[in-house]
Amino acid sequence: MSALNQALRAAFERRQALIAELHGQGTDCYRLFHGSQEGAPGLTVDRYGPQLLVQSFHQPLERDALLELFAACQAFLGSELLAVYNDRSQPNSRIDRTDPVCQPTPEALADLVGHEWGLNYRVRARHPGQDPLLFLDLRNARGWVRRHSAGRSVLNLFAYTCGVGLCAAAGGARRVVNLDFAEGNLAVGRENGALNPALPEMHFIQSDYFPAIRQLAGLPVAHRRGQRLPSYPRLAAEQFDLVFLDPPAWARSAFGTVDLLRDYQSLLKPALLATAAGGTLVCCNNLARVELDDWREQVLRCAAKNGRPVREVEVLAPAADFPSFDGRPPLKTLILHL
């Protein structure tokens, strides 16, 4: 038995109870193998409903190893899934679309539907972006939002495909606003809404984070001397009962730089001010280099400095299919009760 096959079997054994629990909750989207922690760095295996998605980030898998992996997953789950392999070992994690190892079937690349917490989500193995349309490690956070949204106004920042917003709508939120700079991301969010027609309609704002959140927070949009800023939607100041902040590790635009390592405060301050008194701000940091204790201290200090002291703070662990045996998961989530 190969080393990879042994690692897969150990991972499956750890997940047996969890997957039974997830299926009982109406969830068929989860990670089957988290290679960085389970014996094969740079390799992930995810289920998205009827699809099995294997991704390699350091080096391509050989065909025999890939077929053996597909067979092992199918046998463990007891179902025939549509298999897709995305090699992302090229620069900037770009997917090798030439499929030199294993060509997926047209059915595997079609628009599919996966499920989480009983909700329907659009699934595409390949699309103009690089990442899957649903980040699985955020499942526990989406579940928390669903349980705590009843009657509240919810602002979903860096919304991506609006999974958090969808959970807020399912949880009975009275108003849900999804904000993202990419229209393609929000288009998938609209698809997710259409796949759940019984839910209330969500709202969508396509905008760079910085001008949008500063307007909502009642702050001026910063202008750099001698530089003309791109156009952006004009928004009225508004505070929300529940704000969800899940920025990427790094991004730059004409309005500012997202840098989770060096400058989380520039993201956090306006999000705090856009959170209503007595409200809740859920903030995430997915940078592995950031230590939870250091980041939590930074966040609490920023909140106090801006006149929004935190009454209570909770730490929300990632989903159990994303093990971190050293207790230092890359994704860190704080729930701030203001």
Side-chain angles (χ1 to χ4, degrees):
M1 182 185 298
S2 69
L4 176 57
N5 202 289
Q6 287 181 316
L8 285 170
R9 287 176 180 269
F12 296 160
E13 179 66 25
R14 281 188 288 269
R15 283 165 173 75
Q16 280 189 335
L18 171 66
I19 290 177
E21 178 184 347
L22 292 175
H23 288 176
Q25 295 169 352
T27 295
D28 59 12
C29 296
Y30 41 76
R31 176 148 292 182
L32 284 164
F33 184 67
H34 191 51
S36 63
Q37 292 286 310
E38 297 185 289
L43 180 66
T44 61
V45 182
D46 297 316
R47 179 181 183 178
Y48 285 94
Q51 181 185 94
L52 181 67
L53 177 63
V54 177
Q55 301 196 95
S56 55
F57 294 85
H58 294 172
Q59 60 186 22
L61 278 178
E62 295 183 357
R63 179 177 174 82
D64 288 348
L66 180 63
L67 295 178
E68 184 180 24
L69 187 157
F70 284 157
C73 292
Q74 306 274 17
F76 170 64
L77 294 172
S79 59
E80 292 293 324
L81 300 181
L82 298 166
V84 177
Y85 171 53
N86 286 341
D87 174 44
R88 298 177 60 179
S89 59
Q90 299 187 78
N92 300 317
S93 286
R94 296 200 175 277
I95 296 171
D96 185 353
R97 298 173 189 270
T98 62
D99 298 310
V101 178
C102 185
Q103 179 78 32
T105 65
E107 292 80 8
L109 296 179
D111 284 359
L112 303 170
V113 176
H115 308 88
E116 183 186 86
W117 302 110
L119 299 174
N120 302 322
Y121 288 89
R122 172 61 68 217
V123 171
R124 290 189 184 99
R126 295 179 185 169
H127 55 91
Q130 300 299 315
D131 295 311
L133 298 181
L134 185 68
F135 288 119
L136 300 178
D137 57 348
L138 208 63
R139 182 175 61 247
N140 283 356
R142 286 189 290 267
W144 189 95
V145 167
R146 181 170 182 169
R147 296 190 302 273
H148 295 86
S149 293
R152 308 177 85 179
S153 58
V154 178
L155 175 62
N156 181 22
L157 300 168
F158 297 98
Y160 192 43
T161 56
C162 309
V164 167
L166 194 70
C167 281
R174 61 180 173 83
R175 171 170 160 80
V176 177
V177 176
N178 297 291
L179 170 69
D180 198 89
F181 78 98
E183 175 55 36
N185 293 344
L186 296 179
V188 178
R190 293 186 179 92
E191 284 189 66
N192 287 335
L195 289 171
N196 297 271
L199 298 185
E201 186 175 354
M202 299 185 290
H203 302 275
F204 303 88
I205 299 174
Q206 181 192 359
S207 173
D208 185 282
Y209 174 76
F210 290 103
I213 192 61
R214 291 187 68 84
Q215 290 179 91
L216 292 172
L219 299 172
V221 177
H223 285 71
R224 298 177 182 177
R225 181 174 298 178
Q227 180 178 353
R228 184 175 181 178
L229 292 176
S231 62
Y232 56 88
R234 268 41 179 190
L235 305 171
E238 182 178 0
Q239 290 188 320
F240 294 79
D241 302 316
L242 174 58
V243 175
F244 196 96
L245 175 63
D246 181 26
W250 193 90
R252 175 179 288 170
S253 76
F255 297 96
T257 299
V258 175
D259 187 342
L260 301 197
L261 180 64
R262 299 173 184 84
D263 191 16
Y264 199 92
Q265 296 93 318
S266 66
L267 308 174
L268 184 62
K269 174 184 175 180
L272 283 162
L273 297 178
T275 307
T280 304
L281 171 60
V282 181
C283 51
C284 302
N285 191 319
N286 58 31
L287 199 63
R289 295 169 58 190
V290 172
E291 295 287 345
L292 172 61
D293 290 343
D294 294 341
W295 177 58
R296 176 169 47 194
E297 181 181 348
Q298 178 187 96
V299 164
L300 295 178
R301 187 168 59 245
C302 180
K305 180 180 178 180
N306 287 283
R308 306 306 308 275
V310 176
R311 294 183 293 104
E312 180 185 356
V313 58
E314 302 175 50
V315 177
L316 187 63
D321 45 335
F322 286 78
S324 178
F325 300 125
D326 61 1
R328 300 168 61 187
L331 175 62
K332 295 158 285 287
T333 302
L334 296 177
I335 301 169
L336 311 178
H337 301 280
L338 306 181

